Amino acid sequence: MFEIGFDQAAGLRTTFPPATGIHVMPVVSLNRPALAYELLCTLAAQLTALRQSVVIIDGSAAEQPGRWPQPGAHLGLLQALQNPDIDGLEQAPLGAEWLVMPGALGLQALTQTARLAGPAVALSRLAAPFSPGVCVLVFATAALQAELFGGLGARALVPVLDRTQTTLDAYGAVKQLLHADVIPVLAPWTDGMSPPAVPLQQVVDTVTDCAQRHLGVALDSWPQAIWAQRTQLCALSAGATGHSGAVAYRQSSTAPHRRAAAPLWS
């Protein structure tokens, strides 16, 4: 029912390949989502500069109740999922660079679908309201990303910030993602304005070393300058036949090299 393939020519491209569905890049929200949200907007701005349509699903914000949002409010993911009249979403509201949708309730609904019918069906539901070719950035906790995208070969960006708590936050996110076979990728970021609490490279090295030592994983790390290009090459592609259709998805890549499984409490 579901066809899985790997495109060996993906590394030669500089843009998304033609597709009938959407492209999904999970971005992990840390314990302080506002800090990581700036990273998310930076990625969205890079993609927009490459003339890529971007939708942000903000799992840290809840949708308004009702079938349609109140005047002046953002359309929510749950409303888009539940209303078959909503499709072709892509364009940003007037005066905005990209479409931002609150998605806490909608993402929770999709995790229920993943539990009952599998992540591929949940991915199909996620794809249904959007225009083909749009890049959907899913901003949510590592636990939710693991449940929603586990087993699909997806990568997930894990923000690494120049803050003391980031080391524990990022390492904890890496463990949760790996446990669900979601591939974590470190995304070091600094706003360049506020003085760093700790050197950014020190945080990256600590997370990387801990993952290698305790989890047996050599983590990939994407410099800020290439986030958009790597997202275009590595995002999970998902196509849907409608609000109730089946999905065909393409895995971005094989998982990084791992040793034998280590306890997740390391």
Side-chain angles (χ1 to χ4, degrees), residues 37 57 77 89 98 109 130 136 149 159 162 177 180 188 196 199 214 255 264:
Y37 194 82
I57 297 177
L77 176 62
L89 292 176
W98 46 78
F130 300 102
V136 177
F149 298 108
D162 50 6
L177 294 170
H214 298 296
L264 294 179

Side-chain angles (χ1 to χ4, degrees), residues 202-249:
Q202 178 181 318
V203 181
V204 174
D205 291 343
T206 300
V207 175
T208 301
D209 292 345
C210 287
Q212 182 70 62
R213 185 180 306 113
H214 298 296
L215 305 175
V217 175
L219 293 177
D220 198 4
S221 179
W222 293 351
Q224 179 177 333
I226 64 169
W227 285 348
Q229 290 88 343
R230 296 301 295 170
T231 294
Q232 288 188 319
L233 290 173
C234 300
L236 186 67
S237 295
T241 58
H243 273 70
S244 61
V247 67
Y249 67 90

Side-chain angles (χ1 to χ4, degrees), residues 1-265:
M1 180 176 180
F2 305 119
E3 297 178 357
I4 305 173
F6 172 58
D7 186 349
Q8 296 179 341
L12 302 178
R13 298 194 182 93
T14 57
T15 57
F16 284 129
T20 57
I22 65 172
H23 309 280
V24 180
M25 177 56 72
V27 180
V28 173
S29 63
L30 303 178
N31 289 336
R32 297 175 63 186
L35 294 176
Y37 194 82
E38 292 299 321
L39 178 153
L40 181 71
C41 291
T42 300
L43 172 58
Q46 288 182 358
L47 288 165
T48 301
L50 296 178
R51 299 183 179 180
Q52 173 63 49
S53 297
V54 177
V55 174
I56 293 176
I57 297 177
D58 184 3
S60 67
E63 301 89 321
Q64 286 189 343
R67 188 176 177 85
W68 296 95
Q70 298 297 318
H74 289 284
L75 174 68
L77 176 62
L78 185 62
Q79 294 157 338
L81 294 174
Q82 293 180 338
N83 191 339
D85 295 329
I86 298 176
D87 60 10
L89 292 176
E90 174 182 7
Q91 296 299 322
L94 186 63
E97 293 185 270
W98 46 78
L99 175 62
V100 179
M101 304 175 68
L105 301 179
L107 291 174
Q108 288 294 335
L110 288 174
T111 61
Q112 291 288 341
T113 300
R115 293 186 197 113
L116 295 173
V121 176
L123 188 60
S124 174
R125 288 196 63 201
L126 175 62
F130 300 102
S131 290
V134 69
C135 181
V136 177
L137 305 178
V138 178
F139 185 62
T141 64
L144 191 148
Q145 308 276 25
E147 192 161 15
L148 186 55
F149 298 108
L152 297 182
R155 281 180 169 87
L157 288 178
V158 179
V160 180
L161 314 176
D162 50 6
R163 298 291 184 269
T164 305
Q165 184 62 29
T166 298
T167 302
L168 294 176
D169 290 349
Y171 182 63
V174 165
K175 289 195 296 183
Q176 287 181 304
L177 294 170
L178 286 172
H179 185 60
D181 291 327
V182 176
I183 305 169
V185 177
L186 301 185
W189 183 81
T190 178
D191 59 15
M193 299 176 62
S194 56
V198 291
L200 181 59
Q201 190 58 48
Q202 178 181 318
V203 181
V204 174
D205 291 343
T206 300
V207 175
T208 301
D209 292 345
C210 287
Q212 182 70 62
R213 185 180 306 113
H214 298 296
L215 305 175
V217 175
L219 293 177
D220 198 4
S221 179
W222 293 351
Q224 179 177 333
I226 64 169
W227 285 348
Q229 290 88 343
R230 296 301 295 170
T231 294
Q232 288 188 319
L233 290 173
C234 300
L236 186 67
S237 295
T241 58
H243 273 70
S244 61
V247 67
Y249 67 90
R250 178 176 60 83
Q251 292 177 307
S252 56
S253 155
T254 55
H257 174 69
R258 299 184 64 175
R259 296 198 308 260
L264 294 179
W265 57 82

